[in-house]
Amino acid sequence: MILRSVLGSALLAALLFGAGANEQAGKMKPMFQSVDPSKATLVGSGEDKEYCAVCGMNLVKFYKTNHVWNGKQVASLHCLYELTEGKIPSDAQVVDTKNLNLIDANNAFYVVGSKIGGTMTRNSKYAFSTEADAKEFQAENGGEIMSFAKAYEIAGQDFEGDNKMIKAKREGGVYAHGKEFYETNCAKTEAKNFKAISELKAHLKKTCDAKGASKAPDYDKHIQAAALYLWDAPASLGAGDQSSKSKQKMQKSERIVVPKGARCPVCGMLVGKNPNWATMIKTDKEEFYFDGVKDMMKYYFEKGGQFEQIYVSDYYKLTKIDAKSAFYVSGSNVFGPMGNELIPFASEEDAKTFARDHGGKKIVKFDEITALMLEGLM
């Protein structure tokens, strides 16, 4: 029996894979990380060789950020950091983003923090075999060029914050969807019988296929959600006991939904191209959308600061929060669509974590933001 209610592919991709996947899936285009299966090198030989040993994600779909160490292939530098327990390996390999070959990570040139979405992180990391290729990518997409050792160090700095983001997304709908898909389409499975989530996912693929679930759209996303639900074994799903359809509606209401064609009144950019950075000001007559806190605050000051309904997107959770109660980190090494930004959080604890991980110089509240501060973010 095929799943009766399935999350929209764009939403599920966003929940499972993060910012880059969300934007790409919303446009129904392949993600930047994805390649044709014939061009991917998979080092494993078992039934689970196409899945990350740490997070379970499809290695071909996220091939351009793949790393290999000790015979295990993982989807991202974040996953490699977890696999190696924070101890930098001397013999890791990474996929050359341009030529798609596996290369020695220690000889690679990493571009960190580009505008291209990352895998398991908001701070993307792509590797190249030559400095010239890295510079070409940097010229088009931004970011900083560095060694594997430095990129690995930054992955460590990002690790706690990225895990919070991943946890929030999984609890925000992935587990609930995985539970429904698993119970509707798959044979009973005990996660404890498998050594890695990749093995569990490969097993689920076989058992769920037997019930015809492979006919469902975006089948791999559903199997991934089911594997995460079983592997992470959330003690309490809470709102996750709702149907996926109800959960989807709740998630949409919690995020800032940018209307098609909405442009930032300050810079003129299409806000929908970077929905995770969206902010908004609402009046009795209309709504204004911006591609970051910086432009929103410029507009706020320009119009005399008389607005009451102002919202920003929490950096980790991507949820819609009251701008006047949020905490903002300035001076970090994370850039928004318009460069240096004030990074918003619902909780001071998350703001402190982010500031520590990303070199944030100051945490401020809404009333502490000034026009002079915005000038310093140019």
Side-chain angles (χ1 to χ4, degrees), residues 270-292:
L270 285 168
V271 180
K273 285 189 174 182
N274 300 284
N276 296 333
W277 293 92
T279 62
M280 68 177 291
I281 292 176
K282 184 177 182 180
T283 70
D284 292 337
K285 296 181 179 180
E286 55 188 328
E287 297 175 349
F288 301 93
Y289 295 86
F290 308 83
D291 46 15

Side-chain angles (χ1 to χ4, degrees), residues 131-357:
E131 187 174 15
D133 287 344
K135 286 183 175 179
E136 181 182 5
F137 178 87
Q138 179 192 45
E140 184 175 352
N141 303 297
E144 181 181 351
I145 298 175
M146 61 187 67
S147 66
F148 169 61
K150 183 61 177 176
Y152 186 90
E153 179 185 344
I154 290 178
Q157 295 170 0
D158 294 341
F159 194 73
E160 183 180 351
D162 284 339
N163 277 342
K164 284 186 176 182
M165 174 190 70
I166 293 165
K167 182 175 183 289
K169 289 177 180 177
R170 290 177 179 177
E171 292 179 345
V174 175
Y175 291 143
H177 174 70
K179 178 178 186 290
E180 182 180 2
F181 185 88
Y182 165 69
E183 292 178 348
T184 305
N185 298 281
C186 308
K188 186 175 181 180
T189 300
E190 294 287 343
K192 64 183 180 181
N193 295 330
F194 302 90
K195 295 180 180 179
I197 189 174
S198 55
E199 295 179 4
L200 169 62
K201 187 175 177 182
H203 173 79
L204 285 176
K205 187 174 185 296
K206 288 195 301 183
T207 63
C208 299
D209 278 355
K211 291 192 174 186
S214 59
K215 297 176 183 177
D218 298 308
Y219 178 50
D220 184 72
K221 296 184 181 72
H222 308 311
I223 292 293
Q224 175 69 9
L228 287 170
Y229 162 67
L230 292 172
W231 190 255
D232 291 351
S236 173
L237 285 177
D241 290 331
Q242 307 172 47
S243 69
S244 295
K245 189 173 183 180
S246 298
K247 192 68 180 179
Q248 178 183 358
K249 289 180 180 178
M250 186 182 77
Q251 284 298 307
K252 285 186 176 180
S253 67
E254 287 183 347
R255 297 186 64 171
I256 294 177
V257 179
V258 181
K260 185 177 181 180
R263 290 185 179 274
C264 173
V266 175
C267 69
M269 288 178 58
L270 285 168
V271 180
K273 285 189 174 182
N274 300 284
N276 296 333
W277 293 92
T279 62
M280 68 177 291
I281 292 176
K282 184 177 182 180
T283 70
D284 292 337
K285 296 181 179 180
E286 55 188 328
E287 297 175 349
F288 301 93
Y289 295 86
F290 308 83
D291 46 15
V293 174
K294 181 172 63 177
D295 277 1
M296 181 191 75
M297 293 307 299
K298 287 181 182 178
Y299 188 85
Y300 176 82
F301 288 129
E302 180 184 320
K303 299 300 180 180
Q306 300 301 312
F307 304 107
E308 294 299 324
Q309 298 184 69
I310 311 174
Y311 303 97
V312 296
S313 299
D314 183 286
Y315 181 81
Y316 285 148
K317 301 178 177 66
L318 305 181
T319 50
K320 175 182 174 181
I321 57 176
D322 184 347
K324 294 187 177 182
S325 64
F327 297 85
Y328 301 87
V329 178
S330 67
S332 76
N333 59 11
V334 172
F335 298 90
M338 296 301 293
N340 291 306
E341 262 296 356
L342 289 166
I343 312 297
F345 298 89
S347 77
E348 186 175 15
E349 179 185 354
D350 283 350
K352 288 180 177 179
T353 296
F354 176 87
R356 183 179 67 247
D357 291 347

